[in-house]
Amino acid sequence: MRKLHIIVASTRPGRLGPSVARWVQTEAAVHGGFTEIEFVDLAEVNLPFMNEPHHPRLGQYTHQHTRDWSAKVAEADAFVFVMPEYNYGYNAELKNAIDYLYSEWHYKPVGMVSYGGVSAGTRAVQMIKQVVTTLKMTPVVEAVSIPFVQQFLDDDKCLVPNEVMKSSVKAMLDELARFTDALRPLREPATP
């Protein structure tokens, strides 16, 4: 059993993240490496700016929204972050969602699907790798980078991928499945 969460990072009106994430979700279903695939939209999760009084490593959450977010992240075996690039970095909502928790992220692989202009979100991906590795996550090398993302959307705002995107998402999902299995023993309680 492998459960994948596809997290839509952007929350702004008119965003393109859901279109990109729905394509990733479809590809993941066809891929077959994950028994469960869940679409997690940070706009719907709607976390306020970090408002927990205790450090996340303690797991002493005082707000229901944090307990709900903790349960959602804890149930996943792997993640795909579908993320835009804002001013050479990743967006604040994604950082906030990550920072709410600590051990729930440990020893889980993460794939990056980024989009933007000429850089295709690659600068944002480079920045977030420092954060996720601090939380003992493993970012897979294989990624999907979509430059000038608007050109890949049809009139209904559905993503129409090219061959490079299709082969990239398959390679990323292959590695996510492999790393999910490899990291699973590390998530088991330590034996004395």
Side-chain angles (χ1 to χ4, degrees):
M1 297 282 295
R2 297 183 194 121
K3 184 164 189 177
L4 175 67
H5 282 185
I6 300 168
I7 297 181
V8 182
S10 179
T11 62
R12 80 163 95 179
R15 64 207 168 115
L16 304 177
S19 297
V20 177
R22 278 191 282 281
W23 167 70
V24 174
Q25 185 177 26
T26 299
E27 292 295 320
V30 170
H31 181 268
F34 293 88
T35 50
E36 289 185 61
I37 303 159
E38 187 169 341
F39 189 95
V40 180
D41 187 345
L42 290 184
E44 293 175 11
V45 173
N46 198 26
L47 290 168
F49 194 70
M50 175 56 123
N51 64 351
E52 286 290 340
H54 307 291
H55 193 287
R57 71 179 158 69
L58 301 174
Q60 297 173 355
Y61 306 129
T62 61
H63 300 290
Q64 188 60 46
H65 59 257
T66 310
R67 289 190 289 275
D68 293 345
W69 181 233
S70 171
K72 181 59 59 189
V73 171
E75 73 186 19
D77 296 305
F79 302 94
V80 172
F81 291 167
V82 176
M83 52 191 283
E85 180 175 309
Y86 293 171
N87 302 314
Y88 280 57
Y90 57 95
N91 60 319
E93 295 85 355
L94 180 55
K95 180 71 163 85
N96 186 53
I98 291 169
D99 288 347
Y100 254 92
L101 308 175
Y102 182 67
S103 62
E104 295 89 340
W105 300 110
H106 286 183
Y107 306 115
K108 296 178 182 180
V110 59
M112 309 292 181
V113 176
S114 63
Y115 58 93
V118 67
S119 75
T122 56
R123 297 174 291 212
V125 169
Q126 284 307 111
M127 290 185 75
I128 204 165
K129 285 181 179 179
Q130 297 175 70
V131 173
V132 298
T133 56
T134 299
L135 291 166
K136 301 180 185 180
M137 295 177 81
T138 301
V140 297
V141 173
E142 291 73 12
V144 181
S145 306
I146 306 171
F148 302 108
V149 65
Q150 297 272 5
Q151 70 180 321
F152 297 105
L153 298 177
D154 65 15
D155 292 338
D156 296 322
K157 289 207 172 193
C158 293
L159 189 80
V160 181
N162 63 22
E163 289 306 314
V164 172
M165 292 160 59
K166 290 178 186 177
S167 63
S168 296
V169 77
K170 182 190 179 311
M172 181 190 71
L173 292 166
D174 286 347
E175 286 301 285
L176 275 175
R178 289 181 62 188
F179 273 88
T180 297
D181 293 342
L183 293 172
R184 187 181 309 278
L186 296 176
R187 293 198 306 274
E188 300 297 323
T191 55

